[in-house]
């Protein structure tokens, strides 16, 4: 494994040296790529959305896609666990809680488990940061935290983190640094969960 990684690294360096191709472009085809993450309300309206693909070049195209996936999934039973569907040559993983609908979209050749991990991480982080009160009203009042979650999970379509505890902990840190009105209780919960996760990982 180490030898393979070294060979890939050396090959990448050679290509970069000769063509100056950004690293993110080199490995985009080899790693999972998220096209968008959507958080919609029970009417299919936006709560928080972030796009990482040019498949929807205009805002009207984005809104049309959001309406399409909402309409196609609103009658499904995605409250107990995530469900997966194929829409317009895209894999969409989704889950609902209260009046919020969570969606993660990838290409039709993407790893479904990777997309599901992104969805679960987003879902868990939001649940923790909203102290279990996961509904539209609470989400809108803490919209800055939700967008910080998105920034911690995906950057330019590349997956950074999928563990909800770690995501919430990082968001709590950002909130302290920026003077956000995140409650001390929420920060403590987020970091406690992150520490517990790290401890479990070290004991394995």
């Amino acid at each position: 494994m180490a030898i393979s990684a070294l060979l890939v690294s050396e090959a990448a360096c050679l290509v970069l040296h000769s063509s100056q191709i950004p690293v993110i472009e080199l490995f985009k085809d080899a790693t999972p790529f998220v096209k968008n993450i959507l958080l919609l309300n029970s009417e299919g309206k936006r709560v928080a959305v972030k796009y990482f693909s040019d498949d929807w070049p205009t805002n009207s195209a984005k809104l049309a896609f959001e309406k399409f996936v909402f309409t196609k999934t609103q009658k499904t039973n995605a409250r107990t666990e995530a469900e997966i569907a194929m829409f317009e040559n895209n894999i969409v993983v989704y889950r609902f809680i209260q009046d919020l609908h969570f969606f993660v979209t990838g290409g039709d050749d993407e790893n479904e488990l990777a997309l599901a991990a992104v969805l679960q991480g987003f879902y868990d982080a939001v649940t923790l940061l909203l102290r279990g009160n996961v509904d539209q009203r609470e989400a809108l009042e803490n919209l800055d935290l939700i967008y910080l979650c998105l920034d911690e999970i995906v950057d330019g379509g590349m997956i950074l983190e999928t563990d909800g505890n770690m995501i919430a902990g990082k968001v709590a840190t950002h909130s302290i640094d920026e003077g956000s009105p995140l409650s001390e209780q929420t920060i403590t919960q987020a970091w406690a969960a992150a520490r517990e996760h790290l401890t479990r990982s070290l004991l394995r």
Side-chain angles (χ1 to χ4, degrees), residues 152-163:
E152 293 294 340
I153 298 168
V154 176
D155 181 21
M158 310 298 283
I159 300 172
L160 301 177
E161 179 62 74
T162 60
D163 184 274

Side-chain angles (χ1 to χ4, degrees), residues 34 37 104 113-123 153-154 159 161-162 167:
V34 175
I37 300 178
V104 174
L113 293 178
L115 298 177
V118 171
L119 176 72
Q120 189 65 46
F122 183 37
Y123 179 93
I153 298 168
V154 176
I159 300 172
E161 179 62 74
T162 60
I167 296 163

Side-chain angles (χ1 to χ4, degrees), residues 36 38 46 51 53-69 88:
N36 64 49
L38 312 175
R46 288 181 174 182
Y51 284 80
S53 168
D54 295 330
D55 288 6
W56 304 275
T58 64
N59 189 55
S60 59
K62 293 180 175 69
L63 289 171
F65 179 76
E66 293 161 22
K67 181 179 180 180
F68 177 79
V69 296
E88 298 181 344

Side-chain angles (χ1 to χ4, degrees), residues 134-161:
V134 186
D135 56 35
Q136 180 182 350
R137 179 178 177 180
E138 196 73 18
L140 290 174
E141 290 179 354
N142 295 275
L143 204 55
D144 55 336
L145 301 183
I146 291 176
Y147 274 106
L148 282 173
C149 278
L150 294 176
D151 290 340
E152 293 294 340
I153 298 168
V154 176
D155 181 21
M158 310 298 283
I159 300 172
L160 301 177
E161 179 62 74

Side-chain angles (χ1 to χ4, degrees), residues 74-199:
Q74 64 176 326
K75 294 183 179 180
T76 61
N77 185 25
R79 295 190 177 277
T80 56
E81 60 182 6
E83 295 197 10
I84 301 173
M86 179 77 76
F87 301 127
E88 298 181 344
N89 297 320
N90 292 300
I91 295 174
V92 179
V93 185
Y94 57 97
R95 186 174 179 180
F96 310 149
I97 180 171
Q98 302 287 14
D99 54 356
L100 292 176
H101 294 209
F102 294 72
F103 300 88
V104 174
T105 305
D108 57 5
D109 58 347
E110 288 298 345
N111 187 320
E112 296 176 359
L113 293 178
L115 298 177
V118 171
L119 176 72
Q120 189 65 46
F122 183 37
Y123 179 93
D124 290 345
V126 169
T127 299
L128 180 58
L129 289 167
L130 298 186
R131 302 173 295 280
N133 300 318
V134 186
D135 56 35
Q136 180 182 350
R137 179 178 177 180
E138 196 73 18
L140 290 174
E141 290 179 354
N142 295 275
L143 204 55
D144 55 336
L145 301 183
I146 291 176
Y147 274 106
L148 282 173
C149 278
L150 294 176
D151 290 340
E152 293 294 340
I153 298 168
V154 176
D155 181 21
M158 310 298 283
I159 300 172
L160 301 177
E161 179 62 74
T162 60
D163 184 274
N165 294 327
M166 298 302 293
I167 296 163
K170 291 177 182 178
V171 169
T173 301
H174 287 309
S175 299
I176 295 172
D177 293 341
E178 297 172 7
S180 174
L182 180 60
S183 73
E184 182 178 349
Q185 180 183 9
T186 302
I187 295 170
T188 303
Q189 289 174 342
W191 274 114
R195 284 196 301 270
E196 181 182 351
H197 173 78
L198 179 59
T199 301

